[in-house]
Amino acid sequence: MEPPAAKRSRGCPAGPEERDAGAGAARGRGRPEALLDLSAKRVAESWAFEQVEERFSRVPEPVQKRIVFWSFPRSEREICMYSSLGYPPPEGEHDARVPFTRGLHLLQSGAVDRVLQVGFHLSGNIREPGSPGEPERLYHVSISFDRCKITSVSCGCDNRDLFYCAHVVALSLYRIRHAGQVELRLPISETLSQMNRDQLQKFVQYLISAHHTEVLPTAQRLADEILLLGSEINLVNGAPDPTAGAGIEDANCWHLDEEQIQEQVKQLLSNGGYYGASQQLRSMFSKVREMLRMRDSNGARMLILMTEQFLQDPRLALWRQQGAGMTDKCRQLWDELGILSPPRASSGALWVCVVLSPHCKPEERAGWLQLLSRWDKLDVCPLEEGNYSFDGPSLRPTVAPVPGSEEEEEVAATSPRHTVFGRALLAGELRWNDAYLQRILASDSYGPSLTGSMGGDKLTFDPQGRPLWLGEPFPTACARVDTLRAHGYPRQALRLASAIINTLRLQQRHQLESYKQQKKELLQKGSTCITNTEGWVGHPLDPIGCLCRALLEACRLEEETLTLYPDSGPEKRKVAYQHVPVPGSPGESYLVLALEVALLGLGQQRALPEGLYAQDKVVRNEEQLLALLEEVELDERLVQVLRKQAGLLLEGGPFSGFGEVLFRESVPMHTCARYLFTALLPHDPDLAYRLALRAMRLPVLETAFPAGEPHPSPLDSIMSNRFPRWFILGHLETRQCELASTMLTAAKGDPKWLHTVLGSIQQNIHSPALLFKLAQDACKTATPVSAPPDTTLLGIALELGRQVMRMTLNVMTWRRREMVRWLVSCATEIGPQALMNIMQNWYSLFTPVEAATIVAVTGTTHATLLRLQLDTPRREELWACARTLALQCAMKDPQNCALPALTLCEKNHSAFEAAYQIVLDAAAGGLGHAHLFTVARYMEHRGLPLRAYKLATLALAQLSIAFNQDSHPAVNDVLWACSLSHSLGRHELSAIVPLIIRSIHCAPMLSDILRRWTLSAPGLGPLGARRAAKPLGADRAPLCQLLDAAVTAYITTSHSRLTHISPRHYGDFIEFLGKARETFLLAPDGHLQFAQFLENLKQTYKGKKKLMLLVRERFG
């Protein structure tokens, strides 16, 4: 196809044609350009100077000068392309990092001088100011050019980078902007041909003299060769001239430092884990796309160099050897290289776009395909992840057949290996010479012939007479659109995009008709098979994104400002769009088509692809498409399209993700529905809610767990273990929650929709964590700071909270306490009745501990009572409800709830007595001594020592402390119980002694208790108000029994310790005997008993001579 004129990119510097044309019009008041210049321009663009010389035996000097003059690049856009980054640098670093900006500044500051053009060679000096305290630096710059392209550059700064340095930029811009001020000479060979022998000799000698240190060896070598008659230099006619331009056979392309590109890509890949490296690699991809738009052959050259370095990345072999997947950043870069470009860029697929170029030569395409085929066979070449087919169904205005599962499995089992280059290889088989395709691309008004068809039965026009594009898969057709746009054919891209959308519309109508015929059967069945073999959103070729961006670009309104980063413009400022009419389709605009095709793709019912990265790509692609749509400001015309498409999506059956029947593993529509709901709500609330409620479904969870079934893992995705291939399920559930939250917020003040949304949430959301978040959001929305609360929405929040409590009741999580506290707070916002309701039904919502320690306590705090503003009867009613709750919890779990129940019932005698009785009953049923001691201490603190004593005796009855348990946890409790009984009186002391003797067998502990009781007199009477006259004696009742028990414990413990004693414990044993003697001496005959005890030890353990020696030294 004939390449049309390239469209000037937005925001790029103006070309010289515009600049010169404007200047000429200003000078000559519209006077036409000279024929010599017009001819010289055309020759300079397309003919090598050698070809001119061969074609014409004699070219006049003025003609030669004009050809040489016009051979220098005339547009600043190419200079900018080869000297600027592909992405904006950090703020404030533009001048420091962008050569084009620095070169422009040098030009404007007058740093360029001594500019000379000799034939096809330009030279000049650039004076660059030095840093503070440093001298000015002078750089000599040389530029060779041919046919309006710079073919080589040289600069004294020795810059090693992908781009031209700022000094080359400054000299180039000087030549473009001030061409008339540049001294122009013909190629040096033309000047030399005008000299006689003496002049030539003088010229050579002066040249050698001026540069003898540099050129003298070379001059002598050349002279020797010339004087040698049979030398090679004498066998060649003429001599080389670096200023005479390129030869006929020389390649004509812009200078590109291939070695530097390879080195930089290699270095960036080695730093692939860093964000900056990935960003720079993306900037290089962006530069490739920029070259493709300019139809610069360096685009393919640069891409080849980058691809080779990517394939040499040592991590590829390592990942393959380990069987591990590549990192996410690396995978994205490979996708951009082989398949898909990032959606924020506008050029689409890279290798697919290169191979599918509509203007490349056959030998070029063959070379690319040969390279791709070789790369494709490499073991380290990454595979394309996902279950997308490479030979999908063609675009047809008929219903896609429903594939059988067995058939699909066979295809999957026999499918070939698909690498990231597979689609580019397939694209190489496509051609642009189809006659019907050419007619679509050639005219905006192409219509049907008299018969309405083109060859056989192939349908080529829709009923309205608009052209269709059939016969190849939809993603492939969209790749054609993207390729046209990438190579600078925007009008042709729009024509083909319109034909594709016409086909989609016709296909949608046929699908609806087919669904109506089988609707009853499908609804009865309640399930469906997937009707689309591959999804369009998340597809490696991004077909929907390609169409949308092509259509939206045609409608974009932007200020024509000078910018070096056209790809980053939309991210920096708000984009405005206008309706641009579609030629041949009255009443339609490209903006309408963009919205329509985006909704068709987003609403397509499609199966989730295989693989983590493929699934993540589905999510990212959907978000990127919606971000494009959100830039479009909806007017009445677009709203009508939105309403129509929303209705079609609801009626789309198995072809729509919003249809009544869904395939079990189809991609959910939550994110798309959220956009549609927000957009439709101001115009058609009923349709907005219907669509959003239909989209709340998550089919894979609905079939896995029937409604009402508890969540096996409450705070995580329930599919993580049972359905491992749904890697992004957690993300999908979060999007479902966001859709529900959006509906709840919008329905505030509308009870009908609030309860409808609540029912949908309860039916479709299965994650307690997300339900709890929804409840929190609803409560926050319902209680604004400066307005009265929405009681209906508060009730919804409370109901959601109750559902979370029920779902997580038997599965304890670390967030339960937070959830319980929030539920009480939410119920408090509603009122006392709601609070009492959750107290009365606590058993289905809370554990006894939660109910007694959080619900009952929080519900009766001073802050809660102030918030409720209750009168005295209502306050007492709430207290009674809380006490009843506490008593019920104490009966169900006395171990953990008895003390909270007693605390809560302190101010009500009957309730307090009931709680105390529960503790006594629980003691008989096995309530542990630790809990009994805790309650006993509480009773003493409350001034009920007799009840404390009673509970202490019950605790002692359950306690057993062995002879070697000196540090038993209950030691302090026992000592406290003994102190309590001593303070109560002799009767209580006498009663507790048998319990102490039976429960405690630790000698030091018994002696400690005995000593404490002998220090002071016991109390008299029930409360110990008066004490006896003198302390109790250890040799009289009731302490004599305790003394005997202590002495016996010391004797028993001594024998037990001596059985397995080691020498390093001899000192501890001697100290133990010292404490034993103190206890023995409390008895009247204690000296005698202790002496007999020691003698017994000496006889029994006389083999332990060292130990017995220590005993004699200490005790005699």
Side-chain angles (χ1 to χ4, degrees):
M1 61 183 290
E2 282 297 323
K7 175 182 176 183
R8 188 163 80 87
S9 290
R10 302 179 308 278
C12 286
E17 293 87 354
E18 296 92 338
R19 188 186 307 278
D20 291 346
R27 291 191 304 267
R29 298 297 178 187
R31 186 175 59 190
E33 197 169 6
L35 183 59
L36 172 60
D37 281 316
L38 290 173
S39 304
K41 279 185 180 181
R42 293 295 295 169
V43 170
E45 288 173 358
S46 52
W47 282 27
F49 195 68
E50 182 184 9
Q51 187 176 2
V52 176
E53 292 178 318
E54 287 187 359
R55 175 70 183 273
F56 305 100
S57 58
R58 181 179 180 278
V59 182
E61 182 175 324
V63 175
Q64 291 187 47
K65 282 193 173 184
R66 297 319 291 168
I67 293 175
V68 170
F69 176 85
W70 289 114
S71 291
F72 194 84
R74 308 164 202 167
S75 171
E76 295 180 8
R77 182 181 174 189
E78 283 86 355
I79 308 300
C80 176
M81 180 173 69
Y82 279 94
S83 58
S84 61
L85 304 172
Y87 67 98
E91 192 66 30
E93 296 186 16
H94 288 66
D95 289 341
R97 294 184 56 182
V98 184
F100 184 84
T101 309
R102 292 176 54 209
L104 188 61
H105 177 72
L106 288 171
L107 173 67
Q108 293 169 346
S109 62
V112 183
D113 64 354
R114 301 190 66 182
V115 181
L116 172 67
Q117 179 179 342
V118 180
F120 296 85
H121 183 272
L122 182 72
S123 62
N125 290 339
I126 310 296
R127 300 182 180 276
E128 186 173 25
S131 303
E134 294 184 2
E136 181 183 68
R137 287 168 291 183
L138 177 66
Y139 298 104
H140 181 72
V141 181
S142 299
I143 299 175
S144 296
F145 53 91
D146 175 55
R147 282 167 276 181
C148 299
K149 295 182 178 68
I150 291 176
T151 56
S152 68
V153 299
S154 173
C155 180
C157 69
D158 294 325
N159 173 67
R160 296 289 294 171
D161 199 354
L162 294 178
F163 312 111
Y164 299 165
C165 69
H167 314 108
V168 171
V169 172
L171 181 60
S172 301
L173 294 180
Y174 184 93
R175 172 61 177 78
I176 292 173
R177 296 189 179 187
H178 308 291
Q181 302 176 21
V182 175
E183 187 178 359
L184 178 63
R185 295 286 186 270
L186 290 177
I188 192 66
S189 56
E190 294 292 329
T191 304
L192 293 176
S193 66
Q194 299 174 16
M195 297 181 183
N196 59 31
R197 182 188 178 283
D198 292 338
Q199 290 173 324
L200 283 173
Q201 183 172 356
K202 183 177 290 188
F203 170 78
V204 171
Q205 287 182 276
Y206 267 99
L207 181 63
I208 294 173
S209 176
H211 303 283
H212 66 277
T213 58
E214 301 169 15
V215 303
L216 187 58
T218 304
Q220 186 61 55
R221 178 177 58 82
L222 292 175
D224 293 342
E225 290 186 14
I226 291 173
L227 292 175
L228 187 63
L229 295 179
S231 65
E232 183 179 354
I233 197 171
N234 287 321
L235 298 177
V236 178
N237 292 326
D241 181 0
T243 67
I248 299 175
E249 302 298 328
D250 293 341
N252 179 231
C253 59
W254 285 80
H255 169 71
L256 190 69
D257 191 337
E258 297 186 358
E259 181 182 347
Q260 183 61 23
I261 289 175
Q262 292 174 316
E263 185 63 31
Q264 186 148 347
V265 172
K266 182 178 179 180
Q267 181 180 355
L268 291 172
L269 285 174
S270 66
N271 299 329
Y274 298 97
Y275 173 77
S278 300
Q279 185 76 347
Q280 289 185 58
L281 284 168
R282 285 194 174 89
S283 78
M284 295 178 72
F285 287 132
S286 178
K287 190 60 63 179
V288 171
R289 289 187 290 272
E290 191 177 353
M291 292 175 179
L292 292 180
R293 284 196 297 271
M294 298 287 290
R295 301 177 198 164
D296 188 336
S297 60
N298 280 340
R301 283 177 62 200
M302 187 170 176
L303 189 59
I304 290 172
L305 297 171
M306 294 183 68
T307 305
E308 289 174 342
Q309 291 303 312
F310 267 73
L311 287 167
Q312 293 173 19
D313 187 349
R315 293 177 297 174
L316 292 178
L318 181 63
W319 286 328
R320 184 174 183 273
Q321 181 182 1
Q322 296 175 344
M326 63 177 66
T327 63
D328 185 62
K329 286 182 180 179
C330 190
R331 183 77 209 187
Q332 290 182 36
L333 290 171
W334 266 102
D335 272 357
E336 188 168 355
L337 175 70
I339 304 290
L340 184 69
S341 67
R344 66 177 181 178
S346 57
S347 62
L350 278 179
W351 267 117
V352 173
C353 283
V354 169
V355 172
L356 198 53
S357 170
H359 59 251
C360 71
K361 299 176 182 178
E363 55 270 22
E364 286 182 315
R365 180 180 284 111
W368 296 331
L369 292 176
Q370 186 177 3
L371 277 174
L372 288 169
S373 180
R374 177 164 59 85
W375 295 334
D376 183 75
K377 295 173 183 175
L378 295 176
D379 292 337
V380 296
C381 185
L383 302 179
E384 179 183 304
E385 188 176 346
N387 52 357
Y388 299 100
S389 67
F390 271 57
D391 51 355
S394 301
L395 273 173
R396 298 285 182 189
T398 56
V399 182
V402 179
S405 58
E406 295 181 3
E407 202 174 305
E408 285 183 315
E409 289 176 4
E410 290 179 9
V411 172
T414 59
S415 60
R417 174 177 176 264
H418 295 309
T419 71
V420 293
F421 300 116
R423 296 188 185 274
L425 285 168
L426 289 177
E429 302 172 5
L430 301 176
R431 295 294 180 267
W432 295 91
N433 55 7
D434 180 86
Y436 178 65
L437 175 60
Q438 287 290 325
R439 279 189 281 270
I440 290 177
L441 299 179
S443 173
D444 288 325
S445 57
Y446 180 47
S449 63
L450 294 176
T451 59
S453 62
M454 289 290 297
D457 297 326
K458 182 180 180 182
L459 184 64
T460 54
F461 299 95
D462 66 5
Q464 288 75 35
R466 295 173 298 198
L468 306 174
W469 177 239
L470 310 168
E472 64 186 8
F474 172 70
T476 305
C478 295
R480 286 186 183 272
V481 173
D482 204 36
T483 300
L484 288 169
R485 181 165 159 262
H487 287 275
Y489 302 94
R491 294 179 63 84
Q492 288 84 346
L494 290 174
R495 290 165 185 163
L496 183 56
S498 299
I500 293 172
I501 295 173
N502 294 336
T503 310
L504 288 180
R505 287 170 167 173
L506 190 60
Q507 184 183 44
Q508 187 182 42
R509 285 198 292 271
H510 281 267
Q511 289 174 345
L512 288 174
E513 292 170 4
S514 172
Y515 172 59
K516 289 177 182 177
Q517 296 173 4
Q518 53 182 334
K519 180 175 181 179
K520 185 176 180 181
E521 178 185 348
L522 282 174
L523 291 179
Q524 288 177 348
K525 187 179 178 182
S527 63
T528 182
C529 295
I530 199 70
T531 57
N532 298 296
T533 55
E534 60 184 15
W536 297 337
V537 174
H539 190 282
L541 291 177
D542 188 19
I544 301 296
C546 291
L547 290 181
C548 279
R549 285 188 287 274
L551 295 166
L552 288 175
E553 187 180 66
C555 306
R556 185 174 296 169
L557 279 173
E558 284 188 314
E559 296 180 3
E560 289 290 336
T561 56
L562 187 79
T563 174
L564 304 180
Y565 321 105
D567 290 338
S568 65
E571 297 178 4
K572 298 297 182 184
R573 59 184 182 272
K574 183 175 176 58
V575 181
Y577 296 96
Q578 64 178 345
H579 286 282
V580 176
V582 179
S585 299
E588 287 196 342
S589 73
Y590 290 122
L591 199 55
V592 167
L593 294 186
L595 179 60
E596 189 172 334
V597 76
L599 296 180
L600 276 172
L602 290 166
Q604 178 198 37
Q605 183 173 171
R606 56 196 184 273
L608 190 72
E610 300 284 352
L612 168 61
Y613 187 75
Q615 294 177 14
D616 181 63
K617 192 187 296 183
V618 168
V619 172
R620 284 188 285 111
N621 194 197
E622 184 178 37
E623 291 174 349
Q624 290 151 1
L625 285 172
L626 290 172
L628 280 177
L629 294 184
E630 286 170 355
E631 291 179 351
V632 179
E633 187 175 345
L634 297 176
D635 56 18
E636 185 60 33
R637 195 171 172 185
L638 294 178
V639 169
Q640 292 305 318
V641 175
L642 206 64
R643 295 175 70 171
K644 177 185 175 182
Q645 288 300 315
L648 291 174
L649 288 173
L650 287 172
E651 299 169 4
F655 305 97
S656 167
F658 294 88
E660 294 178 85
V661 181
L662 286 183
F663 174 62
R664 177 181 168 278
E665 295 196 7
S666 61
V667 177
M669 297 286 111
H670 307 133
T671 310
C672 174
R674 188 181 178 196
Y675 165 77
L676 290 172
F677 177 80
T678 306
L680 285 170
L681 189 64
H683 311 283
D684 193 340
D686 184 69
L687 179 60
Y689 278 107
R690 283 172 53 213
L691 195 76
L693 290 169
R694 181 76 65 82
M696 278 292 291
R697 299 168 297 180
L698 194 51
V700 70
L701 299 190
E702 294 169 9
T703 54
F705 296 96
E709 184 173 325
H711 195 302
S713 180
L715 295 182
D716 302 314
S717 170
I718 68 173
M719 303 298 293
S720 57
N721 295 321
R722 298 184 60 174
F723 296 93
R725 67 176 293 266
W726 279 69
F727 300 103
I728 59 168
L729 187 61
H731 176 84
L732 296 177
E733 288 184 296
T734 302
R735 291 292 177 264
Q736 183 188 36
C737 174
E738 290 173 355
L739 173 61
S741 180
T742 302
M743 285 195 289
L744 282 176
T745 302
K748 180 182 177 182
D750 190 332
K752 171 197 165 187
W753 284 120
L754 278 175
H755 287 98
T756 305
V757 174
L758 173 64
S760 178
I761 291 171
Q762 292 175 324
Q763 179 182 354
N764 294 296
I765 297 184
H766 306 280
S767 170
L770 296 177
L771 282 172
F772 181 55
K773 184 179 184 305
L774 269 178
Q776 288 178 305
D777 292 345
C779 183
K780 186 176 181 180
T781 304
T783 54
V785 178
S786 58
D790 186 311
T791 54
T792 306
L793 187 54
L794 271 176
I796 299 291
L798 182 65
E799 182 54 38
L800 289 174
R802 290 162 64 98
Q803 183 175 347
V804 173
M805 293 295 103
R806 288 190 291 267
M807 293 173 71
T808 59
L809 180 59
N810 297 319
V811 185
M812 288 295 100
T813 71
W814 61 273
R815 295 194 66 186
R816 276 284 297 189
R817 290 183 66 85
E818 176 192 356
M819 294 174 176
V820 173
R821 291 183 185 280
W822 177 87
L823 190 68
V824 174
S825 173
C826 183
T828 304
E829 289 290 338
I830 296 175
Q833 193 57 46
L835 188 56
M836 287 189 287
N837 183 270
I838 64 171
M839 288 183 181
Q840 292 164 356
N841 298 283
W842 69 270
Y843 46 83
S844 64
L845 304 172
F846 315 109
T847 64
V849 175
E850 291 170 344
T853 60
I854 302 177
V855 179
V857 174
T858 307
T860 54
T861 60
H862 182 66
T864 301
L865 296 176
L866 283 179
R867 174 71 177 163
L868 293 173
Q869 298 179 349
L870 301 177
D871 54 18
T872 303
R874 292 285 286 171
R875 182 174 295 192
E876 183 53 38
E877 184 182 1
L878 179 61
W879 269 107
C881 188
R883 288 192 292 267
T884 303
L885 164 65
L887 292 174
Q888 292 173 347
C889 294
M891 292 181 66
K892 195 172 182 70
D893 186 5
Q895 184 170 339
N896 296 308
C897 301
L899 185 58
L902 285 166
T903 304
L904 199 67
C905 298
E906 285 178 352
K907 297 180 180 179
N908 187 280
H909 178 71
S910 60
F912 187 82
E913 291 297 322
Y916 177 64
Q917 188 59 45
I918 290 173
V919 176
L920 294 179
D921 295 341
L927 187 62
H929 61 80
H931 295 89
L932 286 171
F933 275 128
T934 301
V935 178
R937 285 177 179 268
Y938 164 78
M939 286 295 183
E940 184 197 29
H941 179 71
R942 294 294 302 157
L944 303 170
L946 291 179
R947 292 190 174 185
Y949 173 78
K950 172 67 175 176
L951 293 172
T953 58
L954 293 174
L956 284 171
Q958 298 184 16
L959 184 63
S960 178
I961 300 179
F963 72 91
N964 57 350
Q965 291 182 303
D966 305 53
S967 57
H968 192 280
V971 168
N972 289 330
D973 290 327
V974 171
L975 295 177
W976 168 81
C978 293
S979 176
L980 175 65
S981 61
H982 184 266
S983 66
L984 289 176
R986 186 184 182 95
H987 176 73
E988 286 77 9
L989 187 65
S990 301
I992 205 172
V993 167
L995 290 174
I996 295 293
I997 294 172
R998 185 166 63 248
S999 302
I1000 300 172
H1001 308 285
C1002 177
M1005 192 172 177
L1006 289 172
S1007 63
D1008 188 21
I1009 294 171
L1010 181 64
R1011 190 170 294 102
R1012 287 169 183 261
W1013 278 348
T1014 57
L1015 291 177
S1016 61
L1020 296 177
L1023 301 180
R1026 295 183 299 117
R1027 293 189 173 274
K1030 58 181 180 178
L1032 295 176
D1035 56 340
R1036 296 194 300 273
L1039 299 188
C1040 60
Q1041 300 174 10
L1042 185 59
L1043 176 59
D1044 293 340
V1047 169
T1048 304
Y1050 270 116
I1051 294 172
T1052 305
T1053 304
S1054 297
H1055 286 291
S1056 177
R1057 293 181 66 171
L1058 286 172
T1059 304
H1060 303 290
I1061 196 168
S1062 62
R1064 62 194 180 94
H1065 293 134
Y1066 286 173
D1068 294 339
F1069 183 72
I1070 297 300
E1071 293 299 323
F1072 178 77
L1073 287 182
K1075 294 179 180 179
R1077 182 172 63 177
E1078 294 175 2
T1079 303
F1080 272 80
L1081 294 179
L1082 292 176
D1085 55 348
H1087 288 285
L1088 181 60
Q1089 290 186 41
F1090 188 69
Q1092 292 176 350
F1093 170 56
L1094 288 181
E1095 189 61 32
N1096 187 10
L1097 289 181
K1098 293 173 185 177
Q1099 293 297 324
T1100 305
Y1101 303 100
K1102 58 185 177 181
K1104 300 182 184 294
K1105 296 181 181 179
K1106 185 176 180 180
L1107 177 60
M1108 292 304 108
L1109 179 62
L1110 292 174
V1111 171
R1112 290 189 184 94
E1113 289 178 355
R1114 177 75 180 269
F1115 303 106

